[in-house]
Amino acid sequence: MLKQKSLIGQIVTDEQVTLEPSRIRWLYETSLIRPNKDSTEPSIRKVALLALGDFDRVLLQVGAKPHSVLLSQEQVSLLKPIQLGDVLQIKTIIKDLYEQQASNHPMGFIHVRIEGHHNNLLAFEGERVLAIRGGFPRGA
Amino acid sequence: MTKTTKPKNQLLSMTAAPLNRTQIAKFAASINHFSPLFFDDHFANSAGFGGVIAPGSLALSLAEDYLHHVLGGEPISSIQVSFQRFMWPGEELTFKAQVNPESKHIEFEALNQRREVVLVGRASLEPV
């Protein structure tokens, strides 16, 4: 059994994060389907909420090298309105991890759940599935 | 950007401007994803990608903007996507969507200029 299996269910981080207007604006400006549109009020993309998760720490826990990590799936649901500048309590949780064979090569998958609480209410929830080329690291 | 009218239940398709390196690097920074795969050609080559690639989330974020346009700003409560292919600088993504009138779900996809599917997804419109 993979040693990383013991990480399933672990809350990797539980921390306060501010929705920084400058980062939201960068994200917004770089992904406009009409890039020349004058925009002074960037909307908060679902992607921006998912990005609040601490994926670096997840990879550190699993022992995966960043260059071997690919994005497989994402989903996010907004449950309460969120504004720029809001301070959210963000939980990053390892929901599942497993390996599969893809074209005779192992591929590891990590399901990471992200929860964003605002004023003690769940404001958004999401999940990102990361694929690890070559599978999970073995050994010590 | 180009627009094409589609049959009933299908929304306008839209093509985004070609992806460029500055956009990719800036977007990666905005989502706190500082992998050299997104800005270092040498590194991306040695990792077998043939050059820098774009974060998959960039296609999702473009899809959100596309849906914002074709839905007239109607807020999306949830969105889910599956990433199918890598994206490189210079690629032009065309977004297409259709509405399921019963479930109020919108199914959408992004294709590159070779008409290969880059991303498929589904969005819901229930108000928050």
Side-chain angles (χ1 to χ4, degrees):
Chain A
M1 193 176 87
L2 287 167
K3 64 171 184 172
Q4 288 88 351
K5 283 276 187 190
S6 63
L7 298 171
I8 293 173
Q10 181 176 326
I11 298 173
V12 177
T13 53
D14 186 355
E15 59 188 357
Q16 279 197 341
V17 178
T18 303
L19 271 177
E20 294 172 29
S22 57
R23 276 180 57 183
I24 299 297
R25 185 172 299 283
W26 269 23
L27 186 149
Y28 181 75
E29 288 173 352
T30 53
S31 49
L32 288 170
I33 204 155
R34 293 171 172 159
N36 296 324
K37 192 178 86 172
D38 180 31
S39 58
T40 52
E41 278 297 320
S43 62
I44 301 172
R45 297 273 170 82
K46 308 292 181 295
V47 173
L49 299 176
L50 270 186
L52 298 174
D54 194 343
F55 299 99
D56 285 347
R57 196 171 293 268
V58 169
L59 297 180
L60 200 63
Q61 294 277 350
V62 171
K65 299 267 191 298
H67 68 264
S68 66
V69 179
L70 308 170
L71 199 48
S72 175
Q73 293 176 35
E74 288 189 343
Q75 66 177 67
V76 60
S77 296
L78 188 62
L79 306 171
K80 304 282 179 197
I82 297 175
Q83 311 291 328
L84 281 180
D86 279 352
V87 178
L88 303 174
Q89 189 72 25
I90 302 292
K91 280 187 185 178
T92 305
I93 305 158
I94 297 178
K95 185 178 169 186
D96 196 9
L97 49 80
Y98 53 89
E99 277 190 346
Q100 288 182 343
Q101 291 291 317
S103 306
N104 289 328
H105 296 288
M107 185 75 92
F109 292 92
I110 314 171
H111 290 239
V112 184
R113 176 175 167 79
I114 313 299
E115 295 178 359
H117 295 257
H118 186 229
N119 295 332
N120 295 319
L121 295 172
L122 186 62
F124 80 89
E125 58 185 356
E127 193 169 319
R128 178 176 282 181
V129 181
L130 302 170
I132 315 294
R133 293 194 301 169
F136 295 106
R138 262 63 172 180
Chain B
M1 180 202 69
T2 56
K3 283 186 178 183
T4 315
T5 306
K6 303 301 273 184
K8 190 178 176 182
N9 286 341
Q10 297 223 339
L11 302 172
L12 291 175
S13 68
M14 295 177 78
T15 300
L19 301 177
N20 68 66
R21 287 167 183 267
T22 304
Q23 173 191 24
I24 290 169
K26 199 171 171 182
F27 180 87
S30 77
I31 58 168
N32 207 23
H33 198 161
F34 294 99
S35 169
L37 288 175
F38 306 134
F39 57 82
D40 185 336
D41 259 331
H42 180 72
F43 181 90
N45 258 319
S46 64
F49 291 93
V52 296
I53 57 171
S57 298
L58 176 54
L60 170 55
S61 197
L62 281 163
E64 280 195 69
D65 197 47
Y66 161 68
L67 293 172
H68 177 80
H69 282 292
V70 295
L71 297 172
E74 197 166 347
I76 296 165
S77 58
S78 70
I79 193 164
Q80 61 184 75
V81 294
S82 174
F83 301 99
Q84 308 288 312
R85 276 188 173 74
F86 299 120
M87 302 173 293
W88 285 270
E91 295 216 341
E92 288 185 5
L93 299 185
T94 296
F95 294 86
K96 298 178 173 183
Q98 58 185 12
V99 180
N100 182 328
E102 291 176 3
S103 65
K104 289 192 175 178
H105 286 141
I106 294 138
E107 288 160 5
F108 60 92
E109 62 181 5
L111 296 93
N112 61 21
Q113 66 274 30
R114 295 178 296 281
R115 303 190 61 77
E116 298 164 328
V117 177
V118 169
L119 165 151
V120 293
R122 195 168 78 155
S124 303
L125 294 175
E126 288 86 359
V128 175

